[in-house]
């Protein structure tokens, strides 16, 4: 094994071990833990056995393992971007709903001569 | 429906059920005069939505004895408008009019804006500076607004002459149908998109827009048009 494999293999093994401990102690959601754990495990396998990527690339007629990785990133990057944008958008709407509810529940100032139902009766 | 000048004057009863919603952000220098003008026109119910201003906008509005709602953090003009509209609907409003806080709209146009709704000839009226008068509008802003008109015609199919005009009036039923989820300035396009699919009757009314040095200094920069375009794109992709 080359020094790179020792270094990153060690880091990824540690990340995997931490994930496992979190799961055992129920300190992380199972779905999140499974997703994160599978990312660490895949990265660990590819660091320790880099030829796997090359083999897959050849079987898919891509040629080089690095190109296969690039294509994978090209697909996953927009997917992750849209997922994040969607999450941000959802949070933005939730914050606005919260701010709106607070504003409507406790008006900063009420006019002295009118109640909220005045218009309904007058019209 | 399209462009026409409204006819008869609305009755006093119409004003009893009219709510004017004013979204305001750092407008301490102008909010008082705007409310005063509306009061002179006979408006009884005014809802100022202070959108997390850093100045005394909310306090100054409160001194004029109107409803003041306050966003604890700034959420944008679209969000503030929707807060005020929701509040007006819940308060029993039959007609809701939206009015800018920076004094660019003329309160004198209010009666013409609500007349077609009072007369039940339409559900929504939209102010148009290009049918009325646009004073002191810089050329670049005028071109951008014209571009926005063409874009709206393309996307919504509405044959409008002015698209980003905050002077609008609607029935409470229409307000409930045209709820906006865009917090920022893109709400104007979203409102028109919803109007196009709603099949509600609408009409454009000539109004006067008065740009002053203060309005231009604080108002949207021309570059904001790109941000609005991006928001429109995002809302269509993510929805």
């Amino acid at each position: 094994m080359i020094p790179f494999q020792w270094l990153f293999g060690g880091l990824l093994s540690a990340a995997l071990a931490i994930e496992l401990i979190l799961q055992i102690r129920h300190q992380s959601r199972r779905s999140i833990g499974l997703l994160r754990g599978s990312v660490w495990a895949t990265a660990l396998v590819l660091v320790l056995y880099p030829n796997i990527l090359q083999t897959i690339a050849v079987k898919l007629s891509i040629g080089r393992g690095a190109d296969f990785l690039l294509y994978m990133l090209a697909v996953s990057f927009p997917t992750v971007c849209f997922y994040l944008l969607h999450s941000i958008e959802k949070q933005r709407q939730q914050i606005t709903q919260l701010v709106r509810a607070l504003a409507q529940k406790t008006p900063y100032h009420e006019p002295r001569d009118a109640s909220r139902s005045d218009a309904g009766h007058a019209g | 429906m399209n462009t026409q000048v409204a006819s008869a004057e609305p009755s006093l009863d119409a004003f009893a059920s009219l709510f004017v919603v004013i979204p305001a952000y750092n407008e301490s220098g102008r909010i008082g005069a705007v409310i005063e003008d509306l009061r002179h026109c006979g408006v009884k119910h005014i809802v100022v939505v202070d959108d997390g201003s850093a100045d005394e906008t909310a306090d100054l509005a409160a001194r004029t004895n109107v409803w003041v709602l306050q966003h604890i953090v700034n959420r944008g003009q679209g969000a503030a408008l929707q807060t005020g509209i929701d509040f007006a609907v819940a308060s029993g409003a039959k007609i809701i009019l939206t009015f800018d806080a920076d004094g660019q709209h003329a309160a004198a146009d209010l009666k013409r804006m609500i007349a077609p709704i009072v007369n039940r000839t339409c559900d929504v009226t939209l102010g148009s500076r290009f049918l009325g008068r646009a004073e002191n509008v810089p050329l670049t802003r005028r071109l951008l607004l014209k571009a926005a008109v063409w874009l709206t015609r393309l996307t919504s199919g509405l044959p409008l002459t002015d698209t980003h005009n905050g002077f609008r009036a609607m029935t409470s039923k229409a307000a409930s149908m045209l709820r906006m989820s865009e917090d920022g300035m893109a709400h104007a396009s979203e409102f028109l998109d919803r109007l196009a699919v709603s099949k509600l009757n609408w009409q454009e009314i000539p109004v006067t827009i008065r740009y002053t040095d203060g309005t231009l200094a604080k108002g949207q920069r021309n570059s904001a048009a790109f941000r609005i375009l991006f928001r429109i794109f995002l809302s269509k992709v993510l929805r």
Side-chain angles (χ1 to χ4, degrees), chain B residues 1-214:
Chain B
M1 282 281 166
N2 45 42
T3 57
Q4 275 175 27
V5 180
S7 51
E9 287 260 312
S11 66
L12 282 174
D13 275 356
F15 282 93
S17 58
L18 167 72
F19 273 65
V20 175
V21 175
I22 309 174
Y25 177 63
N26 291 344
E27 290 292 357
S28 59
R30 289 173 286 216
I31 190 73
V34 169
I35 294 169
E36 195 65 24
D37 281 352
L38 287 166
R39 286 272 193 233
H40 277 303
C41 288
V43 178
K44 291 178 181 169
H45 305 286
I46 298 174
V47 182
V48 173
V49 184
D50 172 41
D51 191 22
S53 297
D55 64 6
E56 294 181 317
T57 300
D59 287 333
L60 289 170
R63 277 181 219 162
T64 60
N65 199 30
V66 296
W67 285 104
V68 182
L69 309 181
Q70 193 175 42
H71 283 179
I72 52 171
V73 288
N74 180 251
R75 298 307 297 157
Q77 195 192 43
L81 266 176
Q82 195 56 58
T83 298
I85 290 170
D86 284 351
F87 183 83
V89 171
S91 301
K94 290 188 176 166
I95 303 170
I96 297 155
L97 184 127
T98 61
F99 201 83
D100 281 4
D102 59 3
Q104 65 172 271
H105 296 150
D109 291 329
L110 186 143
K111 286 178 183 172
R112 269 192 295 160
M113 286 291 290
I114 65 169
I117 295 174
V118 174
N119 300 336
R120 296 173 194 271
T121 52
C122 68
D123 308 294
V124 178
T125 55
L126 307 163
S128 169
R129 75 197 89 186
F130 296 115
L131 290 175
R133 274 197 314 167
E135 296 174 9
N136 205 18
V137 185
L139 181 66
T140 48
R141 179 68 58 93
R142 197 177 278 271
L143 290 172
L144 267 178
L145 289 166
K146 288 285 182 190
V149 167
W150 283 107
L151 185 71
T152 305
R153 284 184 181 185
L154 274 175
T155 55
S156 69
L158 294 177
L160 291 164
T161 59
D162 192 1
T163 52
H164 279 253
N165 192 329
F167 207 172
R168 310 180 193 100
M170 64 202 92
T171 61
S172 59
K173 184 188 156 200
S176 303
M177 289 172 74
L178 302 172
R179 289 197 87 252
M180 299 169 282
S181 60
E182 279 296 329
D183 288 348
M185 298 306 289
H187 75 273
S189 301
E190 186 193 12
F191 182 85
L192 295 174
D193 282 349
R194 290 192 191 279
L195 180 62
V197 294
S198 70
K199 307 292 178 201
L200 289 165
N201 292 320
W202 59 272
Q203 193 172 317
E204 271 195 313
I205 306 293
V207 294
T208 300
I209 297 283
R210 216 174 288 120
Y211 280 101
T212 60
D213 290 342

Side-chain angles (χ1 to χ4, degrees), chain A residues 17 19 26 33 40 65 88 99 102 112:
Chain A
E19 200 59 59
H26 300 288
W40 301 142
I88 293 167
V99 169
L102 283 171
R112 287 184 297 274

